[in-house]
Amino acid sequence: MGLDPIGYKPWDGQRTEHGRRFLVVAESILRHKLRAKWFLAMLIIGTFLVHVMPLFILSMMPHKELEAEVMRDQMGGGLYFIFEVILVALVCSDLISEDMRSNSFILYVSRAMGVKGYLLGKWTGAMVTIGLFTLLPPLVLAIAVTATQSGSDYLGSLAVIGRTLIAGIWSAALLIPAGLAVSSLTRKRTYASVGTFMFFFGMMLVSGIFTGLSQDWSLLDPSQVLYQSHTVIYGLELTDSVNKALLGAMAFLLTVPPMALVYYRIMRKEAGK
């Protein structure tokens, strides 16, 4: 009977290069999340409230150029942070935990990919997915405001657009490591989702309690770290109350140690511990 009756077509392409196999994992994560109803619902609602409404308002208001302060406040506001935390919790909840539950991560960390490729694929997939909220809409907003400006200083506006690109990437990079870390500590994605949200909420709560004792405690709040780091990215001056060294330390603690924890957890699982 042959293969033609079942519609088989031989694949004449090349095998995925070893160094690029993490992109297959990242693409799979993006496609999976775009089919998830809760993620799509939060993405649409958040994009409308945080980005679309300001887009119409800022575009219609008289303005000479795109101002860095406007974009900093847009991407560092409380509503922006809340929706980003929700999306990070939804995206990262099953990235590691589901593989732990099914032991499917063994297939990933085999010689075909390895631990580093596995983590890079998960991180890249999460970054691209979260970037649908933290990066793409702000860029559209910045371009729309620039297109409707009345002034002639387009170079200044283009510089702000470039900083918006960096700020959008940094917004995702700051919160995703914690989401992946919590996901690596449990086999239930529900626990991981709630745990990620409570991690950020708990830090905000403790910060609010102790800020009265010292203003430095305000930087324990991840939303403040995000806002103040955006201030630096947009080339604006930090207030005297902001400890620059502490800001850098908190940015480091929210990114590097969580990823190191995920790496350690995967290495232990690979060794059967």
Side-chain angles (χ1 to χ4, degrees):
M1 184 173 63
L3 296 175
D4 288 338
I6 62 174
Y8 173 81
K9 293 182 179 180
W11 182 55
D12 57 359
Q14 298 180 352
R15 292 183 178 181
T16 304
E17 296 179 9
H18 184 84
R20 299 175 57 188
R21 288 177 182 174
F22 74 94
L23 295 175
V24 177
V25 177
E27 181 186 1
S28 176
I29 291 171
L30 178 61
R31 287 190 285 104
H32 174 72
K33 296 304 177 181
L34 289 178
R35 293 196 299 264
K37 295 180 180 179
W38 278 106
F39 172 77
L40 276 179
M42 290 296 102
L43 177 63
I44 293 172
I45 294 173
T47 301
F48 178 78
L49 294 178
V50 179
H51 301 297
V52 176
M53 292 183 64
L55 186 150
F56 287 111
I57 295 173
L58 294 175
S59 297
M60 292 186 295
M61 289 178 58
H63 58 280
K64 292 185 177 180
E65 60 182 353
L66 177 64
E67 298 180 354
E69 292 87 347
V70 172
M71 292 306 302
R72 187 273 310 271
D73 294 342
Q74 173 67 23
M75 300 182 67
L79 198 58
Y80 176 93
F81 178 78
I82 290 174
F83 272 102
E84 185 184 356
V85 168
I86 293 174
L87 292 174
V88 168
L90 291 174
V91 169
C92 296
S93 62
D94 61 347
L95 293 190
I96 309 294
S97 61
E98 182 62 24
D99 293 342
M100 292 285 191
R101 185 192 64 80
S102 63
N103 284 328
S104 59
F105 77 94
I106 296 297
L107 300 175
Y108 288 106
V109 300
S110 64
R111 292 181 62 186
M113 180 172 292
V115 175
K116 294 180 181 178
Y118 170 80
L119 290 181
L120 182 59
K122 296 290 185 176
W123 182 83
T124 303
M127 285 288 294
V128 173
T129 307
I130 297 300
L132 296 177
F133 175 79
T134 65
L135 177 60
L136 188 58
L139 281 178
V140 173
L141 188 152
I143 293 172
V145 173
T146 300
T148 56
Q149 72 179 41
S150 59
S152 59
D153 185 14
Y154 286 97
L155 289 179
S157 296
L158 288 176
V160 176
I161 292 177
R163 293 177 184 271
T164 300
L165 174 64
I166 299 174
I169 296 173
W170 170 245
S171 295
L174 182 65
L175 302 190
I176 284 175
L180 292 177
V182 174
S183 182
S184 72
L185 295 175
T186 178
R187 295 187 176 187
K188 294 184 178 294
R189 62 180 181 180
T190 302
Y191 293 170
S193 181
V194 175
T196 300
F197 185 83
M198 292 305 299
F199 172 79
F200 292 114
F201 178 77
M203 293 183 69
M204 294 174 65
L205 184 62
V206 174
S207 173
I209 293 174
F210 291 100
T211 297
L213 301 177
S214 173
Q215 191 62 31
D216 288 343
W217 281 97
S218 64
L219 290 177
L220 187 63
D221 183 350
S223 66
Q224 278 297 311
V225 177
L226 183 65
Y227 180 84
Q228 300 299 346
S229 59
H230 279 173
T231 299
V232 175
I233 291 173
Y234 279 105
L236 303 173
E237 290 292 330
L238 293 170
T239 61
D240 295 336
S241 61
V242 178
N243 187 320
K244 297 180 181 179
L246 186 57
L247 175 62
M250 284 303 303
F252 175 85
L253 290 175
L254 284 171
T255 52
V256 178
M259 291 303 297
L261 174 61
V262 178
Y263 183 80
Y264 171 75
R265 290 281 296 168
I266 297 301
M267 289 294 293
R268 282 181 59 86
K269 289 295 181 180
E270 185 186 22
K273 298 180 180 180

